[in-house]
């Protein structure tokens, strides 16, 4: 059931039939899940339908240009749609209860195991927003600068501003077409890739201070302790942009960021260089993701979680 793939054109025609849509994004929202959701929401509203976007977590301020401040209309959805959500756990606490009520799943993670009656998953696409772009074309929605800004945000963030290995000529071609709609490219790029809060700079120095090296410098692990995080005044979501820091170091093949969680356990982000598979490492702990970027949670105190992780990384690097 989870392997069924529905042609995108069938999903497009289904979306033209009904009137009320609830769109789900993943917890710890990023540019791609939000860009996908708000592009689709704007498109559906343009077609005079009711649509709204929800997220378990607070949407960071830096994404406020994706949506208009408007009163949320309350309606009973005909369809519940998930975008960029690889597995039901990623719905987060507030929306987990909808896991078995998803009607349409649109995603770009190979590991996707969301159950839905209509399902389109293309793991070879750099960003989910590229799929939404195709979907809106099939729905014959008229693009505008706001829809284009949403789609560009997802494509640019999931490709690391067109730098990651997942970037394709098609990513560039779509982005080029979106630019024609005249959104503020400079503002979005500044917000997504340059702007830092004071707390963020403190956070970076904290991570750098806590970096430790294993396996002759082939693996770098940075721990973020709860009490140290609080001292910086940074919000949890600010760490999302810093998961790549350990991998930046020359000679490091596997970069790991371990964050101590509020209640218990740790959140792990793994970033790798070719040919090491990050999702393979995270799969050992029930997580997943992409070849170069993956994540998981380990329900252990931070030092024990690190040790468990290092055992797996040792095997992957042939250092066991
Ligand atoms: Mn994505």
């Amino acid at each position: 059931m989870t392997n069924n793939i529905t042609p995108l054109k069938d999903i497009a025609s289904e979306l033209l039939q009904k009137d009320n849509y609830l769109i789900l994004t993943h917890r710890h929202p990023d540019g791609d899940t939000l860009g996908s959701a708000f592009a689709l929401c704007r498109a559906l509203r343009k077609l005079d339908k009711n649509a709204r976007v929800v997220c378990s977590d607070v949407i960071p301020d830096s994404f406020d240009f994706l949506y208009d401040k408007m009163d949320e209309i309350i309606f009973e959805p005909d369809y519940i749609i998930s975008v960029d959500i690889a597995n039901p756990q990623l719905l987060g606490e507030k929306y987990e209860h909808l896991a078995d009520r998803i009607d349409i799943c649109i995603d770009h993670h190979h590991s996707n195991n969301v159950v839905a009656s209509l399902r389109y998953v293309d793991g070879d696409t750099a960003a989910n927003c590229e799929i939404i772009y195709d979907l809106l074309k099939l729905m014959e929605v008229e693009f505008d600068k706001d829809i284009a800004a949403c789609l560009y945000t997802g494509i640019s963030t999931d490709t690391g501003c067109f730098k990651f290995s997942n970037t394709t000529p098609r990513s560039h071609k779509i982005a080029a077409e979106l630019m024609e709609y005249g959104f503020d490219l400079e503002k979005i790029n500044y917000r997504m890739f340059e702007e830092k809060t004071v707390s963020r700079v403190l956070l970076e120095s904290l991570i750098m201070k806590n970096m430790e090296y294993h396996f002759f410098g082939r693996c770098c692990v940075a721990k973020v302790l709860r009490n140290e995080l609080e001292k910086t005044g940074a919000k949890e979501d600010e760490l999302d942009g810093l998961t790549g820091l350990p991998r930046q170091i020359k000679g490091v093949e596997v970069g790991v960021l371990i964050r101590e969680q509020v209640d218990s356990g740790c959140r792990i982000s793994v970033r790798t260089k070719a040919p090491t598979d990050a999702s393979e490492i995270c799969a050992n702990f029930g997580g997943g993701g992409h070849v170069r970027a993956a994540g998981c949670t380990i329900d252990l105190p931070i030092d024990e979680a690190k040790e468990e992780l290092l055992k797996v990384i040792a095997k992957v690097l042939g250092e066991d």
Side-chain angles (χ1 to χ4, degrees):
M1 180 60 184
T2 58
N3 292 324
N4 62 315
I5 293 291
T6 314
L8 203 55
K9 68 169 183 6
D10 294 354
I11 293 181
S13 60
E14 203 62 36
L15 287 173
L16 296 173
Q17 305 299 320
K18 299 281 193 326
D19 288 313
N20 303 292
Y21 297 93
L22 179 66
I23 306 168
L24 308 177
T25 56
H26 63 70
R27 68 179 182 195
H28 305 298
D30 62 11
D32 195 32
T33 198
L34 294 173
S36 294
F38 286 114
L40 183 56
C41 181
R42 285 175 181 282
L44 290 166
R45 285 178 178 178
K46 247 186 150 164
L47 300 170
D48 286 326
K49 296 171 186 302
N50 288 322
R52 72 169 185 270
V53 175
V54 293
C55 185
S56 253
D57 295 319
V58 175
I59 297 173
D61 296 343
S62 49
F63 294 111
D64 63 6
F65 63 92
L66 295 176
Y67 51 91
D68 300 319
K69 309 260 182 300
M70 55 167 81
D71 290 328
E72 285 296 347
I73 331 117
I74 299 303
F75 56 85
E76 194 49 44
D78 300 312
Y79 273 147
I80 298 179
I81 309 169
S82 69
V83 289
D84 196 40
I85 299 180
N87 73 66
Q89 287 177 355
L90 297 174
L91 289 168
E93 228 175 296
K94 220 162 146 187
Y95 293 102
E96 264 167 6
H97 66 283
L98 295 178
D100 51 13
R101 287 190 46 202
I102 297 172
D103 302 291
I104 302 177
C105 162
I106 302 167
D107 186 35
H108 73 127
H109 296 86
H110 280 297
S111 61
N112 184 292
N113 64 357
V114 171
V115 177
S117 36
L118 301 173
R119 222 171 140 269
Y120 185 83
V121 178
D122 180 359
D124 297 325
T125 305
N128 199 60
C129 275
E130 295 185 12
I131 301 174
I132 301 292
Y133 167 89
D134 288 334
L135 179 66
L136 301 192
K137 290 276 169 177
L138 289 166
M139 289 166 70
E140 295 180 10
V141 173
E142 207 184 302
F143 279 45
D144 56 37
K145 84 176 190 332
D146 296 319
I147 290 175
C150 290
L151 295 174
Y152 175 81
T153 299
I155 297 169
S156 64
T157 53
D158 260 27
T159 57
C161 210
F162 306 92
K163 286 189 296 191
F164 297 161
S165 64
N166 62 353
T167 313
T168 63
R170 203 173 111 82
S171 313
H172 282 280
K173 278 180 198 146
I174 295 173
E177 188 198 315
L178 295 173
M179 276 183 75
E180 304 278 1
Y181 294 93
F183 59 84
D184 193 340
L185 183 93
E186 185 186 11
K187 182 181 97 179
I188 295 179
N189 285 338
Y190 178 74
R191 288 259 196 118
M192 296 298 116
F193 306 108
E194 250 193 282
E195 188 176 46
K196 291 177 185 182
T197 58
V198 172
S199 57
R200 154 93 178 224
V201 175
L202 290 172
L203 205 54
E204 285 182 9
S205 71
L206 171 68
I207 291 171
M208 290 181 191
K209 173 176 82 72
N210 288 355
M211 281 176 176
E212 43 176 81
Y213 300 92
H214 298 272
F215 315 125
F216 309 99
R218 298 176 67 197
C219 172
C220 174
V221 178
K223 291 189 294 187
V224 178
L225 301 173
R226 208 66 222 172
N227 61 352
E228 287 187 315
L229 176 67
E230 278 156 20
K231 272 184 228 157
T232 64
K235 292 193 207 114
E236 168 84 33
D237 62 61
E238 287 188 70
L239 278 163
D240 290 334
L242 297 174
T243 50
L245 272 187
R247 184 182 54 183
Q248 286 180 354
I249 296 156
K250 190 170 178 182
V252 169
E253 294 162 58
V254 181
V256 180
L257 188 73
I258 309 186
R259 328 173 192 188
E260 198 175 38
Q261 297 297 91
V262 186
D263 26 11
S264 72
C266 300
R267 227 179 114 197
I268 318 287
S269 306
V270 178
R271 300 291 178 267
T272 56
K273 288 177 192 160
T276 311
D277 185 344
S279 66
E280 183 193 330
I281 294 169
C282 292
N284 283 274
F285 303 98
H290 302 282
V291 190
R292 299 284 166 262
C296 59
T297 53
I298 302 182
D299 202 12
L300 286 173
I302 194 159
D303 287 310
E304 291 171 47
K306 187 189 83 183
E307 291 311 318
E308 291 306 309
L309 202 59
L310 285 175
K311 282 182 207 164
V312 170
I313 294 170
K315 263 190 214 141
V316 169
L317 294 178
E319 295 278 0
D320 52 337

